[in-house]
Amino acid sequence: MTKVHNFSAGPSILAPSAFEKSIEDIRNFAGTGLSILEISHRSKQFEAVMDETRQLVADLLNVPSNYDILFLGGGASTQFYMVPHNFLRTAAAYTKTGVWASGALKEAKLYGDVKVVASSEDANFSYIPKDYTIPADVDYFHCTSNNTIYGTQMKSYPESPVPVFCDMSSDIFSKPVDVSKFGLIYAGAQKNMGPAGVTLVIVNKDLYSRRSDRPMPSMLDYKLHGEKGSMHNTPPVFPILVSKYNLEWVKEQGGVKGMAARNAAKSSLLYSAIDSNPHFTTKVAVEDRSDMNVCWVLAPGSEHLEEKFNTACKEAGISGIKGHRSTGGYRASLYNALPIESVQALVHVMETFA
Ligand code: PMP
C-alpha cells in the first residue's frame, strides 16, 4: 500500500508514539488489568494522567502559576459562548478574520455589545488586519491566532488596554507563545494537541474577580472547573490520555521551539513550490501566510487541470488537501506531527505536474 501523507485540517495527524502507547492503555491501563476506557476517572491512575497532562501544558507553554489549565468538553465552539458568559459584562472587542472568528463574535452578541475592531471580510479573509485600536472601555479583546480555513496567521499581537482572549485552536503548541500576555487562551485539541473531544483552556485566575454577574450554570463556570481540577464532571478521559502522549512527543522533539523550526521548514518548502509553479497561485497575503494551513488554487488558465492534479496526488498517497467547502482550491495542513517527507512528497507531485 502507498504510504498515506495526512494533510487533514482536523482531526489531523498525531505522533505515531501517541497511538502506540494509547493502544496499550486500551488493553491494560497502567498495570491495572483494565482498559482506560472502563476505569473510573477518579482512579489514582487516571488522576495521575490528568496531573501529568496539565504539567506538560504548563512546561511546554511556560504557563505562569496564576493561570488555570482546564480540560473541558464541547469543542472550541463551546468557548465561543462560555467566554462571553463569564466575562462579557457590557461590551467586548472582536476581530473578524474568518469563519471561526465570525462564529465567536456571533455568539458573543447574545451577551452584549460586540465591537468589531478589525475585519478582513472585504478581501475574503485573505489577510490579517493590522493598525487597529482596541478601545479601553470594553471587557476584553478576542482574536483568532490562526484562520484554519483561509491559511492566515497572526505573527504578532496588538497592544491592548484590556485582557486579550485568543482562539488558538489551529496553532497552539506549534511555536512559543507568551501566555502572560493573554487573559485567556482556548483550543480544540484536534489539531496539534490530541484527538477531538477535549478543549484546552488556559485562563488567568485574576480575571475571576471581574466576572459577569449573570447566573452561572456549573458547567459554564471556569472558576469551578479550576477548583475541581477539570473533574467537576467526567472529563474526556481518552482524548486527555492521547493528548498526554502526543505532548510528550512534542517535548521530546525540543518542545514548542523545536516545533516552530520544524513547521517553518515545512511551510517554506511548500510556499516556494506554489510560488515557483506556473499552475498554482495563492491569494493569501505573503506576510500573513500560515505555517499550519497552506491554501492555494489553480492559477487562471490552469483550472482545467484540476482532475489531473487530483489524480496525481491520489496516486502519490496525498490525503486531505481539498480546500474547505467555502473556499475551494487546496489546503495542506502541516501540523506538528506531519513529517517533512510528506511535504516533500506533495512538492514532488507539484513539480512533476508542472
Ligand atoms: N476555531 C478554530 C480556529 C477552528 O479551526 C475550529 C475548528 N476547526 C474551531 C474553532 C471549532 O472547533 P470545534 O470543532 O472544536 O468546536
Side-chain angles (χ1 to χ4, degrees):
M1 201 178 126
T2 320
K3 179 179 162 40
V4 179
H5 299 285
N6 183 4
F7 292 94
S8 174
S12 49
I13 188 163
L14 297 174
S17 59
F19 294 112
E20 283 148 26
K21 292 178 181 171
S22 308
I23 288 167
E24 182 47 33
D25 284 338
I26 289 179
R27 295 198 180 99
N28 178 5
F29 171 53
T32 57
L34 295 172
S35 169
I36 174 74
L37 303 177
E38 60 182 1
I39 194 171
S40 168
H41 59 292
R42 306 224 178 258
S43 61
K44 68 175 190 316
Q45 290 84 356
F46 184 74
E47 289 209 349
V49 168
M50 194 62 132
D51 291 343
E52 285 160 24
T53 315
R54 200 182 292 116
Q55 195 57 50
L56 273 164
V57 173
D59 293 348
L60 284 169
L61 296 179
N62 208 4
V63 179
S65 60
N66 59 323
Y67 282 65
D68 271 331
I69 296 172
L70 311 175
F71 301 104
L72 306 178
S77 301
T78 292
Q79 297 309 309
F80 293 172
Y81 65 87
M82 198 162 159
V83 161
H85 191 91
N86 279 262
F87 295 116
L88 203 167
R89 298 168 70 96
T90 47
Y94 275 70
T95 54
K96 192 175 188 185
T97 53
V99 163
W100 301 112
S102 306
L105 74 89
K106 176 173 162 262
E107 304 280 286
K109 280 183 183 163
L110 300 171
Y111 290 94
D113 182 20
V114 171
K115 298 181 195 307
V116 179
V117 289
S119 168
S120 50
E121 197 172 16
D122 57 345
N124 198 28
F125 301 121
S126 58
Y127 68 100
I128 298 286
K130 291 150 202 109
D131 302 326
Y132 50 91
T133 308
I134 301 162
D137 60 349
V138 295
D139 298 308
Y140 61 85
F141 164 68
H142 180 282
C143 57
T144 308
S145 57
N146 184 75
N147 299 285
T148 325
I149 295 175
Y150 304 92
T152 60
Q153 185 173 29
M154 294 176 77
K155 307 289 173 176
S156 63
Y157 291 90
E159 282 302 311
S160 174
V162 295
V164 178
F165 291 3
C166 188
D167 175 359
M168 293 194 188
S169 292
S170 51
D171 67 357
I172 191 126
F173 301 116
S174 71
K175 58 178 182 176
V177 53
D178 184 353
V179 173
S180 71
K181 294 248 162 73
F182 295 86
L184 185 148
I185 292 168
Y186 62 89
Q190 64 272 21
K191 288 110 168 48
N192 274 332
M193 185 167 127
V198 60
T199 304
L200 172 68
V201 178
I202 303 172
V203 51
N204 186 335
K205 292 192 264 190
D206 304 341
L207 292 177
Y208 294 154
S209 61
R210 301 206 206 173
R211 284 190 315 166
S212 76
D213 41 23
R214 60 176 62 89
M216 189 66 70
S218 308
M219 286 302 287
L220 296 190
D221 189 347
Y222 292 118
K223 186 162 178 272
L224 180 76
H225 285 297
E227 285 162 1
K228 298 281 179 85
S230 304
M231 291 270 207
H232 171 65
N233 71 323
T234 315
V237 286
F238 193 60
I240 292 171
L241 177 87
V242 184
S243 299
K244 184 188 95 149
Y245 290 138
N246 196 55
L247 293 178
E248 280 174 356
W249 174 84
V250 171
K251 197 171 177 181
E252 285 158 19
Q253 305 298 311
V256 290
K257 268 197 186 147
M259 289 301 115
R262 193 181 150 94
N263 293 328
K266 289 182 286 181
S267 67
S268 59
L269 179 63
L270 185 50
Y271 283 118
S272 349
I274 295 166
D275 290 339
S276 60
N277 195 312
H279 293 307
F280 301 114
T281 182
T282 172
K283 296 169 188 158
V284 179
V286 176
E287 71 277 16
D288 303 324
R289 288 173 168 185
S290 168
D291 284 339
M292 295 283 98
N293 313 98
V294 177
C295 297
W296 75 99
V297 293
L298 282 159
S302 293
E303 293 95 342
H304 63 286
L305 298 172
E306 185 176 349
E307 224 179 286
K308 261 193 179 165
F309 181 61
N310 293 351
T311 307
C313 284
K314 206 170 164 200
E315 281 167 4
I318 307 294
S319 162
I321 61 161
K322 192 171 187 293
H324 189 264
R325 57 191 180 279
S326 62
T327 56
Y330 298 96
R331 169 177 56 173
S333 297
L334 314 181
Y335 298 123
N336 285 346
L338 184 88
I340 193 148
E341 290 75 23
S342 289
V343 182
Q344 286 161 344
L346 172 58
V347 166
H348 181 71
V349 176
M350 293 166 92
E351 284 169 353
T352 314
F353 187 70

